[in-house]
Amino acid sequence: MKKKVMLGILAVFLIAFIPLFVLKDAEFGGSDDVGSTVVEEVDSSYQPWATPVLEKMIGGELPGEVESLIFCLQTGIGVGIIAFIMGRFVERRKWLKEE
């Protein structure tokens, strides 16, 4: 079991880091960039029909650092919830073995 987990973790790291070293001059853009480019190609007169709530509240665009902070907080909360659920499954298994 431990070997499988270690091989899985190694595979994830290899999948994540090999492209960074093999494709040195490649641009790794996000889906937001590609999506907006495609929308411009399809309809150059397109106007977004909604604006983000926080941008409305502050009356302008969020700084990049604030966006990164919010994204990291969201990620941390999600990971915390997943870890809590996984921990509950492990504890349940221990309780069932004791009975």
Side-chain angles (χ1 to χ4, degrees):
M1 181 69 172
K2 287 185 181 182
K3 286 184 182 179
K4 287 182 182 180
V5 171
M6 293 304 288
L7 286 174
I9 291 172
L10 179 64
V12 167
F13 278 112
L14 289 176
I15 289 170
F17 288 110
I18 286 177
L20 295 176
F21 297 112
V22 173
L23 307 169
K24 293 186 183 206
D25 295 329
E27 291 185 26
F28 295 99
S31 61
D32 292 344
D33 299 333
V34 176
S36 60
T37 304
V38 170
V39 168
E40 283 292 321
E41 290 175 4
V42 172
D43 182 11
S44 60
S45 65
Y46 173 77
Q47 292 294 322
W49 55 272
T51 57
V53 175
L54 287 176
E55 287 183 8
K56 273 187 179 178
M57 288 173 53
I58 65 171
E61 195 169 312
L62 287 172
E65 298 84 9
V66 175
E67 278 188 36
S68 295
L69 172 68
I70 293 171
F71 181 75
C72 289
L73 286 172
Q74 177 183 353
T75 304
I77 291 168
V79 168
I81 291 170
I82 291 171
F84 176 77
I85 291 170
M86 296 296 286
R88 295 290 292 185
F89 283 140
V90 170
E91 280 297 313
R92 180 193 288 170
R93 185 175 292 166
K94 286 180 184 177
W95 291 336
L96 291 175
K97 283 183 181 180
E98 289 176 3
E99 291 179 352

